[in-house]
Amino acid sequence: TTARAPTPTSNTLPLHSAQSASRATAMARKRSLRRTTLFVALLSLAAFGAFVPAFAPLPSLSSPRSSLPEKSNGRKFEIISDKFWKDGRPFQIIGGDVHYFRVVPEYWEDRLSRAKALGLNTIQTYVPWNLHEPKPGETVFEGIADIISFLNLCKKLDLLVMLRVGPYICAEWDFGGFPYWLLAIKPALMLRSSDPAFVKLVERWWSILLPKVSSLLYADGGPIIMVQIENEYGSYGDDKTYLHHLAKLARGYLGDEVILYTTDGGSKETLQKGTVGDEDVFSAVDFDTGAEPWPIFELQKQFNAPGKSPPLSAEFYTGWLTHWGENIAQTDAEFTAAALEKILSRNGSAVLYMAHGGSNFGFYNGANTGGSESEYKPDLTSYDYDAPIKESGDVENPKYKAIRNIIEQYSTVPLPSVPYNNAKTGYGRIQLQRTSFLFDLLNVLGPHDVVESENPLSMELVGQMFGFLLYASEFAAMDDGSMLTIPKVHDRGQVFVSCASREDRPLYAGAIERWSNKPLRLPVTKCVSRITLYVLVENMGRVNYGSYMFDMKGILSSVYLNGRVLLGWKMFSIPLHNLNEATKINPIVQVGHSGVMKVLSNKSINKSDGATREPAFYAGGFHVNKVIQIKDTFISFRGWGKGVAYVNDFNIGRFWPSFGPQCNLYVPAPVLRLGVNSLVVLELESPKPDLVLHSVDKPDFSCGKSKSSMHQL
C-alpha cells in the first residue's frame, strides 16, 4: 500500500536495537542462554548457506526456465501498443485485492464470488513470507496458508490473478511480511537491499514459493497473468542491484511469458527509485483516490518501454486503514466511484485496494510510525478498510452498489447477480469465570522454558515470534520507594512488584509504553525478602512500513532502578498460539485452555468479582443447538480492558475497547461448531466487573476516547 511515513534517505536501517541486544547476549549467563545462543547461531548459519538441503536448488539464472516445456495451448497475456492483450484481444483489468490470509479458507469462494459480482475480472493478492516460513526451513502451505487452493478457486471462478510475491509486501501486515527470525541474525541483515546474506534467504524462500505457483501461470492454463516483485520500493530505497536480481530470479523460475511488474507511487522520484528499468518489467503506479489519474499515467510512460505502458492503477484505494486510538476510516461511496470512472472511461485499468479487507486474525497486524520510532501506531484487528465488501462479506452497502454501477458500464460481459449478505446472529450473553492468573501459571514452565541473562534480551533473541514476554528481576526494598526507567520498550510493558515473604498477589505499578515512555514510581512495599519486579511486554505488531522496520520486540535497553542498571533477569516466553498454529506452543496456554472445560462443566476454579489489574485467563462458552444456527457473529468487548481472545482455540485477535475504536471482534461461522463453543480471554488489565461478554450480530467501531479527527478522504 502507499507511502505512510517519511522516506528514508538511503536503504540502510537503524541497527542500534540489534547492537543493544547483541551486547545483552554477550553478558548472558552461559547455562541458561544455551537455547538462545543455539537459536541465533542457527539463524546466522541460515543466512550463509548452512541449511541448503532444506531448500530446492536454484535454477540457472543464465538460461531462465530453459528446462520448462514450450506452450502450445494458445493462451497468452501480454502488453502491446500500451494495452493489455488476452488471447489476442484487448483487455481492461478491473481488479481488486482479496488477501487469502485475512479470510478463513471456508469463505474464500464466498468472498471471491462477491468480488466477481462486483464486476471484477482479476484478483490481486500478496504472499506473506512470515505466514509460510514461521521458522527457518519450516514451510507451511496448509489451512489459511494454502495459497494453491486459493489460486485454484480463482481459476474455478474465471478470475485472473496478479500475484505479489514480495519478499516485502507492506500490507499492514506484521513486519511487512518478513519472518521475525530475520531480526535475530547476526550480523544484522540489511533488509530490502542487495546485502548478500539477505538476498541468500530471499533466494531460498523463492526457491520454495515460485515453483509452487509456476504451474498456475496463465500460459500454463492457470489464472496468474502478472507477478509483482517487491512493493513500492521507490518509497524506501534505490538499490537497483537488488531489484535487478529479484527480476532475474523471478524470470528463472517463471519464464519469459508472464508479466513481471513493480508498483510505485505516482511521482517522478518514487518511480525513478522503484522501477527496475528493464524493458521486460512493467512499471505500474498508485496514487491518492481523487487525484487526476491521466497526468500520472503519462508520467508512468516515461518509466516503461515505448508501447509497453498500459495505464494501470495497481492500488485504487476504496478506503483506508485504521490504527488503535483513531476514529474508523471512511471514504464517500460516490466520490470513490466517480474517481474510478475517470480511469475506466478512458480504457485505463485499476485494481481496487481493497475489494475485501478481511481481518488481522491472530497477532499478524502491522503498525506504522511517525517521525520517530516512538510514534508507534498499531493497526486494528479488523481490516475492513471501508472496502465495498465488508469484513464479514456484506455487500448491501452504498459503496458496493456505487462501484458496481460504474464497473457495469465498462464490463464486456454481463455481471453476475449480487449475492445476499451472509446471515449473522447474536448468541447473547456469555458468562465468563476466571480460570487462572497469568503469574500463577509460571510454575508449569520447566527450566528449558526460561532464559536467564544479566541484561534483558529481545523477543527475537529468545526465539519468540509473537505474543508476550515476561521479564523478572529482583531488588532490595527502599523505604521511600523506587523509580523505574526503561528507555526502550517495544511495545507496551505492564509493571508489577511482588514480595515473596508476604505471599501477596503481584501489585500493579503502571505501564511503560513505547509511545509515551516515562519513568514509573514503584509502590512502597514493606518486604523482608527482596522484591521481585515483573515487566510483561506485549508485542503489538511489528512496523510494516518505512525506515523503522527493523522493529525488535521486548525490552531493548538497560533497565534502571533509581538511576542504576538492574541486572539479573529471567525471561518467560508466553507466545500464545497464533493464526494457523496448534495450541501446543506453550504449557501456559495449555493450562489456560484446560480451565475452559472445568468452567463449562460448572466446576469453577476461582470465582472473581473482576476487581483486579492482574493479567488473567477467563473462560466461558455458548451453545449452538442446530447446524442451521451456525452463523457469523461478533464478540462485544465493550467494558473490558485489553487482551486477546480465542473461540474454539482460534485466535480471533486483539481487543482494546478502552482505546478504541473497535469494540467487537468478528467470528466467522466456520470457526463455530454444533454444541458447546468455548471462549477464552486473556485480559491484561481490568475485566468488566460482571465478567460478561455478549455475542452480537454486527460490528461496532464506536469505542474508546479518540483524539484523532475522522480519517476521511
Side-chain angles (χ1 to χ4, degrees), residues 109-317:
E109 186 166 1
D110 174 86
R111 302 304 195 256
L112 291 173
S113 297
R114 293 168 190 274
K116 189 173 180 69
L118 182 61
L120 305 188
N121 55 34
T122 304
I123 296 298
Q124 184 171 247
T125 187
Y126 287 117
V127 181
W129 184 0
N130 54 7
L131 179 69
H132 294 286
E133 194 178 7
K135 296 180 182 178
E138 180 183 301
T139 54
V140 180
F141 288 93
E142 297 82 35
I144 206 166
D146 187 359
I147 183 175
I148 302 303
S149 292
F150 179 81
L151 295 174
N152 279 320
L153 280 173
C154 292
K155 178 182 176 181
K156 172 185 173 181
L157 295 174
D158 197 26
L159 289 164
L160 302 175
V161 171
M162 297 166 63
L163 193 63
R164 315 174 89 175
V165 297
Y168 165 77
I169 66 169
C170 187
E172 288 75 63
W173 192 253
D174 184 86
F175 200 13
F178 286 136
Y180 86 99
W181 45 265
L182 296 182
L183 295 171
I185 293 173
K186 303 297 177 186
L189 298 174
M190 301 291 289
L191 303 174
R192 305 182 73 186
S193 80
S194 52
D195 171 12
F198 171 68
V199 168
K200 190 77 170 179
L201 292 169
V202 174
E203 289 174 350
R204 289 176 176 166
W205 161 230
W206 276 12
S207 76
I208 298 167
L209 172 66
L210 297 187
K212 281 184 176 291
V213 301
S214 64
S215 63
L216 291 168
L217 298 176
Y218 186 75
D220 291 316
I224 302 172
I225 55 170
M226 298 171 64
V227 175
Q228 179 181 298
I229 59 173
E230 250 285 345
N231 190 74
E232 294 179 325
Y233 188 70
S235 298
Y236 178 82
D238 58 358
D239 187 340
K240 296 291 186 178
T241 302
Y242 167 58
L243 294 179
H244 278 279
H245 186 73
L246 292 182
K248 190 175 182 181
L249 187 66
R251 283 278 176 234
Y253 286 110
L254 304 177
D256 295 330
E257 295 194 36
V258 68
I259 297 172
L260 298 183
Y261 71 110
T262 57
T263 298
D264 285 287
S267 73
K268 189 170 185 178
E269 179 185 5
T270 54
L271 285 166
Q272 283 175 333
K273 291 180 177 180
T275 53
V276 177
D278 289 345
E279 185 172 322
D280 64 345
V281 179
F282 169 61
S283 301
V285 292
D286 57 34
F287 43 84
D288 291 342
T289 303
E292 287 299 323
W294 289 96
I296 298 174
F297 291 144
E298 285 300 312
L299 176 65
Q300 177 192 2
K301 285 185 177 182
Q302 298 179 26
F303 297 90
N304 284 305
K308 297 289 187 178
S309 191
L312 170 64
S313 172
E315 291 188 8
F316 175 87
Y317 301 108

Side-chain angles (χ1 to χ4, degrees), residues 5 35 80 89 92 201 208 335 422 573:
R35 184 183 69 169
I80 303 173
R89 297 174 179 268
Q92 184 179 33
L201 292 169
I208 298 167
F335 170 83
N422 289 328
S573 181

Side-chain angles (χ1 to χ4, degrees), residues 395-710:
V395 294
E396 296 172 11
N397 63 75
K399 187 169 286 183
Y400 188 96
K401 181 178 180 180
I403 290 176
R404 188 176 187 274
N405 286 343
I406 294 300
I407 292 175
E408 193 167 29
Q409 298 176 37
Y410 302 99
S411 176
T412 58
V413 296
L415 303 192
S417 59
V418 178
Y420 293 109
N421 288 347
N422 289 328
K424 289 172 283 295
T425 192
Y427 294 102
R429 186 177 187 272
I430 306 172
Q431 180 66 57
L432 271 61
Q433 294 177 12
R434 192 179 70 227
T435 61
S436 55
F437 285 114
L438 182 64
F439 291 119
D440 291 344
L441 298 179
L442 297 182
N443 57 18
V444 306
L445 295 176
H448 61 283
D449 295 310
V450 182
V451 175
E452 295 186 13
S453 171
E454 282 297 289
N455 285 297
L457 298 178
S458 74
M459 186 175 285
E460 292 78 12
L461 290 180
V462 300
Q464 185 174 331
M465 185 174 183
F466 295 108
F468 304 83
L469 193 58
L470 180 64
Y471 295 81
S473 187
E474 294 182 345
F475 64 94
M478 304 280 288
D479 291 339
D480 57 350
S482 300
M483 184 68 73
L484 177 70
T485 305
I486 311 178
K488 198 167 185 180
V489 177
H490 285 192
D491 298 301
R492 187 170 186 265
Q494 292 172 267
V495 180
F496 301 83
V497 292
S498 176
C499 176
S501 61
R502 292 175 51 176
E503 298 185 354
D504 291 337
R505 299 299 315 166
L507 180 63
Y508 178 69
I512 297 179
E513 298 165 326
R514 177 174 179 171
W515 54 92
S516 60
N517 191 320
K518 298 176 182 178
L520 182 66
R521 180 163 291 282
L522 302 180
V524 177
T525 304
K526 301 295 182 181
C527 187
V528 176
S529 63
R530 290 171 67 82
I531 296 173
T532 300
L533 172 70
Y534 292 108
V535 184
L536 179 65
V537 179
E538 179 184 3
N539 169 0
M540 294 176 60
R542 292 181 182 85
V543 173
N544 60 262
Y545 179 86
S547 57
Y548 299 111
M549 270 186 55
F550 205 93
D551 188 20
M552 301 181 84
K553 297 302 185 182
I555 295 178
L556 306 180
S557 65
S558 294
V559 176
Y560 299 89
L561 199 64
N562 298 322
R564 302 186 59 142
V565 176
L566 183 62
L567 300 175
W569 289 89
K570 291 182 179 180
M571 279 138 287
F572 301 86
S573 181
I574 310 173
L576 305 184
H577 68 277
N578 196 11
L579 182 66
N580 219 38
E581 290 180 344
T583 59
K584 64 183 180 181
I585 297 296
N586 190 287
I588 288 180
V589 181
Q590 294 178 1
V591 174
H593 282 253
S594 69
V596 179
M597 296 316 298
K598 296 178 182 179
V599 169
L600 297 179
S601 60
N602 297 317
K603 296 178 181 178
S604 177
I605 299 175
N606 295 315
K607 290 188 177 180
S608 169
D609 59 4
T612 179
R613 292 298 299 267
E614 184 179 344
F617 287 98
Y618 299 84
F622 56 95
H623 285 75
V624 179
N625 298 318
K626 299 178 181 178
V627 173
I628 197 173
Q629 295 175 345
I630 298 178
K631 299 175 182 177
D632 286 359
T633 191
F634 297 82
I635 304 296
S636 172
F637 287 88
R638 187 178 289 274
W640 286 67
K642 187 181 194 304
V644 60
Y646 294 82
V647 173
N648 295 331
D649 291 341
F650 181 86
N651 189 332
I652 61 172
R654 310 176 199 265
F655 63 89
W656 198 6
S658 59
F659 211 58
Q662 186 172 0
C663 310
N664 302 351
L665 294 184
Y666 172 55
V667 183
V671 172
L672 303 180
R673 57 195 178 206
L674 190 63
V676 177
N677 290 266
S678 68
L679 174 61
V680 176
V681 172
L682 172 59
E683 169 60 71
L684 299 170
E685 297 181 338
S686 297
K688 193 177 177 186
D690 60 5
L691 303 185
V692 169
L693 291 170
H694 288 89
S695 167
V696 298
D697 63 358
K698 58 187 175 183
D700 184 357
F701 294 99
S702 64
C703 279
K705 299 177 180 178
S706 174
K707 297 180 177 63
S708 303
S709 58
M710 177 71 76

Side-chain angles (χ1 to χ4, degrees), residues 289 316-319 331-341 399 403:
T289 303
F316 175 87
Y317 301 108
T318 60
T331 58
D332 180 75
E334 294 299 330
F335 170 83
T336 304
L340 179 62
E341 185 171 25
K399 187 169 286 183
I403 290 176

